[in-house]
C-alpha cells in the first residue's frame, strides 16, 4: 500500500504532552498499536490540537515551549512508553514536554 504520515497527540503520565510521528502503510493499525501502548502505560490518545499548543515546530521538529515537571514514577512510566513506541517500526519521532532531566556527570577515576 501507499505510505502515509501520521501525527498522534497523547497525554502521558502526569498530564505530560506527547507527539508521536510515524509513516505507515496502514494508518488504522499503527494508531491502534499506539493506543494500545499508551493504554498499557496510563496514557491516552488526545484530540488533534490538544497537545501541540505546548510545542513549536522548529526545523521540522517539535520543541516544547512549556515544560512540565514530573515525579520520578511518572518519569519512569514515560520512559517505558517512549521505549515501547520506539520499538514500533512505523514510528519515527517522539516528542514530549516533560521537564529536561539534568545530565548526571559520572566521574570515572
Amino acid at each position: 500500500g501507499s505510505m502515509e504520515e501520521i501525527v498522534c497527540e497523547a497525554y502521558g503520565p502526569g498530564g505530560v504532552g506527547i507527539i508521536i510521528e510515524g509513516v505507515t502503510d496502514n494508518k488504522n493499525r499503527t494508531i491502534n498499536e499506539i493506543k494500545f501502548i499508551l493504554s498499557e502505560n496510563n496514557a491516552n490518545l488526545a484530540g488533534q490540537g490538544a497537545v501541540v499548543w505546548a510545542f513549536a515546530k522548529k526545523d521540522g521538529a517539535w520543541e516544547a515551549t512549556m515544560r512540565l515537571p514530573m515525579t520520578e514514577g511518572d518519569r519512569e512510566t514515560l520512559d517505558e512508553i517512549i521505549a515501547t513506541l520506539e520499538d514500533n517500526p512505523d514510528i519515527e519521532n517522539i516528542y514530549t514536554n516533560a521537564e529536561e532531566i539534568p545530565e548526571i556527570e559520572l566521574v570515572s577515576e
Side-chain angles (χ1 to χ4, degrees):
S2 63
M3 302 298 276
E4 53 182 326
E5 291 185 19
I6 55 167
V7 178
C8 290
E9 296 174 52
Y11 286 119
V16 68
I18 307 170
I19 299 177
I20 303 154
E21 293 181 333
V23 176
T24 178
D25 59 355
N26 184 334
K27 205 170 180 170
N28 287 343
R29 183 199 67 224
T30 304
I31 289 173
N32 282 330
E33 286 170 359
I34 291 170
K35 273 186 187 160
F36 179 74
I37 293 166
L38 293 169
S39 68
E40 291 276 275
N41 290 288
N42 195 15
N44 52 290
L45 225 45
Q48 217 175 355
V51 167
V52 286
W53 64 267
F55 294 81
K57 196 97 187 239
K58 204 169 166 188
D59 300 324
W62 292 100
E63 209 168 89
T65 51
M66 208 194 104
R67 293 204 174 267
L68 208 66
M70 298 197 86
T71 66
E72 209 165 316
D74 285 345
R75 165 76 61 184
E76 281 174 21
T77 307
L78 181 63
D79 288 344
E80 187 69 30
I81 292 169
I82 291 169
T84 312
L85 288 169
E86 281 176 344
D87 283 342
N88 186 309
D90 296 338
I91 293 169
E92 308 222 304
N93 300 306
I94 302 153
Y95 305 96
T96 83
N97 69 333
E99 212 162 61
E100 297 283 334
I101 310 177
E103 291 289 319
I104 296 163
E105 290 288 323
L106 292 177
V107 181
S108 54
E109 290 304 305

